[in-house]
Amino acid sequence: MNSPIFLFILSGICFSSVDAIAKILVQDTNLIAVVWSRFFGQLLLAAPIAWYFLGKNFWRTRHLGLQLFRSCLLVATATLFFAGLNWLPLAEASSITFTAPIWVAILSGSILGERVGLKEWLIAGVGFLGILFIARPGSAIFHLAALLLVMMAFLNAIFQLYTRKLTQDSAYTTFFYSGIVGLIASTALLPYADPLPVLPVYEYALFGLLGLLGGFAHLLVVLAFYQMRPYKLTPLVFLQLIWAVGYGYLIFGQLPDGLSALGMVLIAASGIWLIWNHHSAGVEDPNKT
């Protein structure tokens, strides 16, 4: 099927699959190797696809500094998220990262010069209340890894906002830079990583699947956004919470408790409202590549 809605939903399933695989691998291996695999797989897809659609000059950009900065943000968000997965349940970790639209609403004033009104601040507060229901600072279940995921969501919002500034470059060029910068950065860190232990054969296969699924998911998002405006598709990203809960239960035997589920609902509701409110104000959501 070539429907943009189908493509976008399929990308969400792929992203959630990547998250589940990453949680398995970071618990058994090391974080840097997992990040390296993620971007190696993306580059394997991005380079030939960009060459096919744009020709041999696919790497040319009018905003090299911005492309590099944005790609470094993506590396940081992937690293923080995979690190947080080592300690937190998959569904709760994923839901905290979905506060990115809330951060986008708050930061769009300073980065894009957009007006952020009282209503936006109040809805953002509802989303952050959801984080408190999930993380519960001061309780026995609180873990500092939750702060890593809040930072990840914050950086992801900046990543999304700066993506809006790259509209003069092809999405395939941006897709390529995300992969190459991520691979270079993670390769530079490999000498500092612990050696991989002897793993079951299936976990070596998971490393390859992690990268390819991650790159494929980004490609699906690009194809979906080429056919339909982002603001119509972006609310569907919260369907990933369903896939995250499913993977968390089936693979790790984890289900959110009542307060965590309430927090997830608050985050999703506030995020969807802010996305649609930005559209009604004449602001489109960013392309995620």
Side-chain angles (χ1 to χ4, degrees):
M1 293 180 65
N2 200 31
S3 162
I5 293 177
F6 172 79
L7 295 175
F8 195 79
I9 292 175
L10 181 58
S11 76
I13 296 174
C14 291
F15 279 125
S16 294
S17 301
V18 167
D19 297 344
I21 293 170
K23 184 171 177 61
I24 295 171
L25 293 176
V26 295
Q27 293 175 337
D28 294 343
T29 59
N30 67 73
L31 175 63
I32 296 175
V34 175
V35 174
W36 183 90
S37 176
R38 163 69 182 81
F39 287 102
F40 178 72
Q42 177 165 335
L43 186 62
L44 281 181
L45 290 176
I49 288 172
W51 187 305
Y52 176 80
F53 283 102
L54 304 176
K56 64 181 180 180
N57 292 323
F58 67 89
W59 54 273
R60 292 190 179 276
T61 171
R62 301 181 183 183
H63 307 283
L64 179 60
L66 189 56
Q67 285 281 10
L68 296 177
F69 175 67
R70 174 191 171 280
S71 298
C72 287
L73 286 173
L74 182 59
V75 177
T77 59
T79 303
L80 288 170
F81 181 61
F82 291 163
L85 282 177
N86 196 30
W87 292 285
L88 293 180
L90 182 60
E92 284 85 339
S94 297
S95 61
I96 293 175
T97 66
F98 286 131
T99 57
I102 302 171
W103 287 112
V104 167
I106 293 173
L107 295 172
S108 59
S110 58
I111 294 179
L112 298 180
E114 298 168 0
R115 180 180 175 275
V116 181
L118 177 61
K119 186 181 293 185
E120 284 79 8
W121 282 102
L122 291 175
I123 297 298
V126 171
F128 289 126
L129 180 62
I131 296 178
L132 295 180
F133 279 126
I134 294 171
R136 279 166 264 181
S139 70
I141 71 166
F142 175 71
H143 198 289
L144 287 175
L147 299 180
L148 295 179
L149 296 173
V150 172
M151 177 59 69
M152 178 270 181
F154 174 76
L155 293 179
N156 190 32
I158 299 175
F159 164 81
Q160 293 182 24
L161 288 169
Y162 274 95
T163 299
R164 294 180 183 174
K165 296 176 175 288
L166 288 170
T167 54
Q168 290 182 319
D169 284 345
S170 166
Y172 294 109
T173 300
T174 302
F175 183 39
F176 166 74
Y177 274 98
S178 299
I180 189 67
V181 172
L183 182 62
I184 291 173
S186 54
T187 300
L189 294 174
L190 278 178
Y192 304 98
D194 294 330
L196 286 180
V198 177
L199 300 171
V201 174
Y202 79 90
E203 290 203 15
Y204 290 109
L206 288 180
F207 269 110
L209 188 60
L210 172 76
L212 292 176
L213 271 179
F216 182 60
H218 278 281
L219 175 61
L220 290 174
V221 172
V222 170
L223 294 175
F225 281 177
Y226 261 40
Q227 300 177 61
M228 184 176 286
R229 295 191 175 210
Y231 80 87
K232 293 183 177 180
L233 292 171
T234 304
L236 295 174
V237 76
F238 291 98
L239 288 176
Q240 290 183 42
L241 288 176
I242 299 175
W243 324 137
V245 171
Y247 277 127
Y249 176 70
L250 294 174
I251 299 176
F252 307 104
Q254 300 167 336
L255 279 175
D257 61 19
L259 283 177
S260 293
L262 176 59
M264 293 164 68
V265 170
L266 291 177
I267 290 171
S270 61
I272 291 172
W273 189 93
L274 287 167
I275 290 169
W276 279 98
N277 184 66
H278 265 221
H279 165 64
S280 65
V283 180
E284 271 202 7
D285 292 296
N287 186 345
K288 182 182 179 183
T289 53

